[in-house]
């Protein structure tokens, strides 16, 4: 088995762990899966500069991976920094009684210490019951496309960025409609 294949499998495991932790509402595990302030960012440009090349600027001096993490939830603005990103997940978990992800169209690419995962999140979620007590509120389905960027660390692959966008589905009414000319 090649090292690249092993990396792909490790990234797939980290990606799966992320979604499973969200389903369980396990904030500590979600937090552990994101890059933190102990991880520093070193770009290929930094290494090139050290060898006398020009390099590119991808991280400010002294910026840690925890400072550089980012997240975009469907309909939200860009969240930057570990604290802001993790607060968003705490808020989502606190307001979601049930969530399940069915991932499809999963693709993984690895280049050095960076990995890119794209997938479709087929989400089934439910809120609190309409009135106190009772069963779970109505279940809602949502289709979202996502990109997860991971970085290799001494502790394994960690999330650097998550970007999710809703997929606008055609309704039955729109299928037969012609565009006016």
């Amino acid at each position: 088995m090649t090292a690249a294949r092993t990396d792909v499998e490790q990234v797939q495991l980290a990606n799966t762990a992320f979604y499973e932790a969200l389903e369980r509402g396990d904030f500590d595990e979600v937090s552990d899966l994101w890059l933190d302030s102990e991880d520093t960012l070193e770009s290929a440009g930094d290494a090139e500069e050290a060898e006398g090349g020009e390099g590119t600027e991808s991280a400010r001096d002294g910026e840690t991976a925890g400072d550089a993490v980012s997240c975009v939830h469907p309909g939200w603005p860009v969240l930057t920094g570990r604290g802001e990103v993790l607060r968003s997940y705490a808020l989502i978990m606190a307001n979601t009684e049930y969530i399940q992800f069915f991932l499809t169209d999963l693709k993984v690419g690895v280049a050095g210490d960076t990995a890119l995962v794209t997938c479709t999140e087929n989400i089934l979620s439910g809120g609190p019951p309409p009135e106190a007590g009772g069963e779970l509120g109505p279940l809602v389905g949502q289709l979202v496309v996502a990109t997860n960027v991971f970085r290799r660390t001494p502790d394994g692959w960690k999330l650097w960025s998550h970007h999710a966008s809703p997929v606008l589905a055609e309704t039955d009414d729109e299928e037969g409609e012609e565009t006016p000319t």
Side-chain angles (χ1 to χ4, degrees), residues 32-138:
D32 288 344
L33 291 166
W34 280 88
L35 286 171
D36 63 31
S37 58
E38 294 175 13
D39 301 309
T40 56
L41 291 177
E42 292 182 18
S43 69
D46 294 337
E48 196 176 302
E49 283 180 26
E51 294 175 6
E54 216 171 278
T56 59
E57 185 178 331
S58 65
R60 292 176 296 232
D61 289 338
E63 182 176 51
T64 66
D67 297 330
V69 299
S70 66
C71 180
V72 177
H73 298 294
W76 291 39
V78 176
L79 304 174
T80 305
R82 182 176 165 83
E84 196 171 329
V85 169
L86 292 180
R87 273 190 294 280
S88 75
Y89 282 104
L91 182 63
I92 290 168
M93 289 178 191
N95 291 289
T96 305
E97 292 286 321
Y98 173 84
I99 191 163
Q100 188 171 12
F101 295 89
F102 300 95
L103 302 182
T104 56
D105 308 316
L106 188 75
K107 292 183 179 43
V108 178
V110 177
D113 290 338
T114 303
L116 181 72
V117 177
T118 58
C119 63
T120 301
E121 300 173 354
N122 301 272
I123 305 170
L124 186 60
S125 63
E131 295 182 21
E135 296 290 317
L136 182 67

Side-chain angles (χ1 to χ4, degrees), residues 146-161:
T147 301
N148 295 322
V149 182
F150 290 84
R151 291 283 296 187
R152 184 193 321 265
T153 73
D155 296 324
W157 292 92
K158 302 285 185 167
L159 269 164
W160 188 7
S161 182

